Amino acid sequence: DPLIHRSDLDAFDIEKLEEIVNNEKQRVSTSALDRARHGTGHSQADMFMIRTGTLNTIRLPDAVIWPADETEVEALIALSVRESWCLIPFGGGTNVSHSTRCPPKSLEPRPIISVDIKLMDRILWINEEDGVAHVQAGITGKCLASEMELRGYTIGHEPDSIEFSTLGGWIATKASGMKRNKYGNIEDIVKDVRVAGPKGMIWQNKSGKKSVHGRVSTGIDLLSLMLGSEGGFGIITSATIKVWPMPECKEYESLILPCFEDGIRFVRDVAKMNNLKPASIRLLDNEQFRLGKAMTSVPRGLQLIQNAMIAFIGSMQSTISMHSAVCTTISFEGSSSEIKLQKQIIGDIAAKHGGIFSGSRIGKAGYDLTFAIAYLRDFAMTYHFLAESFETFVPWSRLEPLVKATKERIRQEHKSRSLPGLPFVSCRVTQLYDEGACVYFYFCMNFENVSKPSLVFAEIEAAAREEIIANGGSLSHHHGVGKLRAPFMDGVNSKCFKDLLLSFKRSFDEKNTFGVRNGAFA
């Protein structure tokens, strides 16, 4: 593709890479397509550049390589150290933080190689008695879940990106999934990691054959260093994870509540259920669920929720209005007696806040819709609409004012630029904690006849992020930092902590072989 800059690697360099992968030439690529795919992620900016043929505005990796085991990964790192090449680990490429993008040549003049570890996708062993499994880090979430289900187990981790994202990527971004209430976040699920670094393999707590220590007190641990490392410390090659027997029952339910404030109070009380919380519970604001009204050609998801709620509210002599009502979708997993108890408690809480059960059909539709949102976003681009979601952790004490302020800031930023139409701004409350909750914001705008629309969108999103932080929200709950959010990191880490991280990295990555420049290392 003439629009994509040529690779800086010559034929001799490519031969050296091919030798590492047993001279299997198909496992090393300098093609424009492979380099473009591995030099981008799934942000709106990435999708816009791909759709508009403007990838020449960013730097792409000079080559892509697919190692098949730890030995090949170690050999690749050793070669890169000798040749002064930069390596960027690549999993599923689903990031929305620009973490797999290459630093510009002004910051990183060396050749850059994208290391795709998807061939390292085997389950190495399962210890059923201890409830743990050792798995290679390149396996996708969908494959891992399917393989475990065939063996009678669940991994408990179900992010929106499960179709493509990988185990290694989950660890590197410190991910969270929809069923966090029951199974925990990735830091609760992963028990141990193996990492290929510039000076060799890094591991800790070798407890014996096919087992792992549940907890140790031996100082700073490797897993904590790798969680959220975003490719800056090395390549995660495998991990030992917790697994659970497949639940006896899976059920869905939904609730309609009079307004968003009632919905917040409802999920706040659900958070107090501790270990009895349902596996997943999500509160959709009024704007989000009413979006279905405009999606008449889509029979499921938002349209199903919309149709069902109209019919349900219409059949009830209720004070609930379609213009203020919110929907909560719930997923239960566990024994039949456990779910029965959960439903009883949920019913008591719902009655307290004016909620009405609206059935399992809406509950399942709302749950399934989560996996389609990225596809809907990319489809909408064809019709001159840009959209993106961004998340944050918000303390309960700040949740309502933060949501109100952020929505208003987006609308103001949109209006001040005289953009066409009105922006679509909505939110949903997802993972629940004792201290607060994860909140997703969704922003969509019409960009027909707008100059540099992706840049305009990014400016409004950055303003929204600024507003979130100013109102007590976190920079990220689980999407990570990458390069997109890195400018905000000075407000997260003190200078002393930043210097500590940089000094630590330099101590074992002296040539900055893993110079991806994400997060604190941007």
Side-chain angles (χ1 to χ4, degrees), residues 445-485:
M445 73 175 214
N446 185 325
F447 68 87
E448 194 167 10
N449 298 319
V450 175
S451 176
K452 299 181 179 179
S454 183
L455 178 59
V456 171
F457 188 100
E459 289 173 352
I460 298 175
E461 182 182 342
R465 179 71 51 195
E466 183 180 82
E467 193 70 28
I468 287 169
I469 294 171
N471 281 273
S474 69
L475 179 57
S476 175
H477 171 262
H478 61 270
H479 282 171
V481 179
K483 300 171 186 66
L484 182 63
R485 298 173 177 177

Side-chain angles (χ1 to χ4, degrees), residues 61-122:
D62 295 287
V64 182
I65 188 169
W66 287 265
D69 54 40
E70 280 186 355
T71 301
E72 291 183 351
V73 173
E74 286 189 88
L76 171 63
I77 295 172
L79 174 64
S80 299
V81 170
R82 291 196 302 271
E83 298 289 336
S84 291
W85 294 339
C86 176
L87 300 178
I88 297 181
F90 187 93
T94 58
N95 72 89
V96 291
S97 62
H98 301 170
S99 58
T100 51
R101 284 197 189 183
C102 298
K105 282 198 172 184
S106 58
L107 293 176
E108 180 50 82
R110 300 172 298 174
I112 296 177
I113 300 168
S114 177
V115 187
D116 189 324
I117 63 166
K118 281 198 287 291
L119 295 181
M120 299 174 63
D121 63 351
R122 293 189 301 125

Side-chain angles (χ1 to χ4, degrees), residues 260-273:
F260 188 67
E261 291 75 17
D262 289 321
I264 293 297
R265 287 188 282 271
F266 168 75
V267 294
R268 175 68 186 98
D269 282 348
V270 171
K272 297 174 183 176
M273 290 173 63

Side-chain angles (χ1 to χ4, degrees), residues 322-341:
M322 282 295 298
H323 297 286
S324 63
V326 296
C327 179
T328 300
T329 59
I330 308 171
S331 171
F332 299 94
E333 289 191 7
S335 66
S336 57
S337 59
E338 180 184 3
I339 293 176
K340 182 179 179 180
L341 177 58

Side-chain angles (χ1 to χ4, degrees), residues 76-300:
L76 171 63
I77 295 172
L79 174 64
S80 299
V81 170
R82 291 196 302 271
E83 298 289 336
S84 291
W85 294 339
C86 176
L87 300 178
I88 297 181
F90 187 93
T94 58
N95 72 89
V96 291
S97 62
H98 301 170
S99 58
T100 51
R101 284 197 189 183
C102 298
K105 282 198 172 184
S106 58
L107 293 176
E108 180 50 82
R110 300 172 298 174
I112 296 177
I113 300 168
S114 177
V115 187
D116 189 324
I117 63 166
K118 281 198 287 291
L119 295 181
M120 299 174 63
D121 63 351
R122 293 189 301 125
I123 297 173
L124 300 175
W125 52 257
I126 299 176
N127 183 325
E128 297 190 41
E129 185 174 359
D130 294 346
V132 293
H134 188 197
V135 185
Q136 289 183 314
I139 194 167
T140 64
K142 184 178 181 180
C143 181
L144 178 56
S146 298
E147 289 292 322
M148 285 298 177
E149 187 171 353
L150 289 174
R151 295 163 169 83
Y153 292 96
T154 179
I155 58 174
H157 188 69
E158 200 166 270
D160 301 359
S161 60
I162 192 170
E163 184 178 359
F164 302 108
S165 57
T166 62
L167 174 59
W170 298 343
I171 298 167
T173 56
K174 201 173 184 181
S176 179
M178 288 193 283
K179 298 177 182 177
R180 178 265 159 195
N181 293 345
K182 183 175 181 67
Y183 301 102
N185 292 316
I186 198 65
E187 64 267 27
D188 305 304
I189 295 169
V190 176
K191 306 306 296 182
D192 206 358
V193 289
R194 286 179 62 85
V195 181
K199 297 182 178 180
M201 290 303 302
I202 308 171
W203 53 267
Q204 196 177 28
N205 301 321
K206 190 173 183 179
S207 60
K209 187 177 181 181
K210 297 184 179 181
S211 62
V212 66
H213 294 128
R215 185 182 187 277
V216 296
S217 178
T218 53
I220 299 171
D221 63 278
L222 176 61
L223 176 58
S224 294
L225 293 173
M226 298 311 299
L227 286 163
S229 57
E230 297 188 321
F233 286 159
I235 298 173
I236 300 167
T237 57
S238 66
T240 304
I241 61 173
K242 293 174 66 175
V243 295
W244 291 261
M246 288 295 294
E248 176 189 326
C249 301
K250 290 185 180 182
E251 296 185 20
Y252 299 90
E253 189 51 90
S254 61
L255 280 164
I256 299 171
L257 293 117
C259 63
F260 188 67
E261 291 75 17
D262 289 321
I264 293 297
R265 287 188 282 271
F266 168 75
V267 294
R268 175 68 186 98
D269 282 348
V270 171
K272 297 174 183 176
M273 290 173 63
N274 299 319
N275 292 337
L276 279 174
K277 287 193 295 291
S280 174
I281 183 163
R282 295 194 162 195
L283 170 66
L284 286 68
D285 71 0
N286 183 258
E287 291 89 351
Q288 188 164 143
F289 111 80
R290 281 197 295 128
L291 174 63
K293 188 174 182 181
M295 300 175 67
T296 54
S297 63
V298 183
R300 295 190 177 187

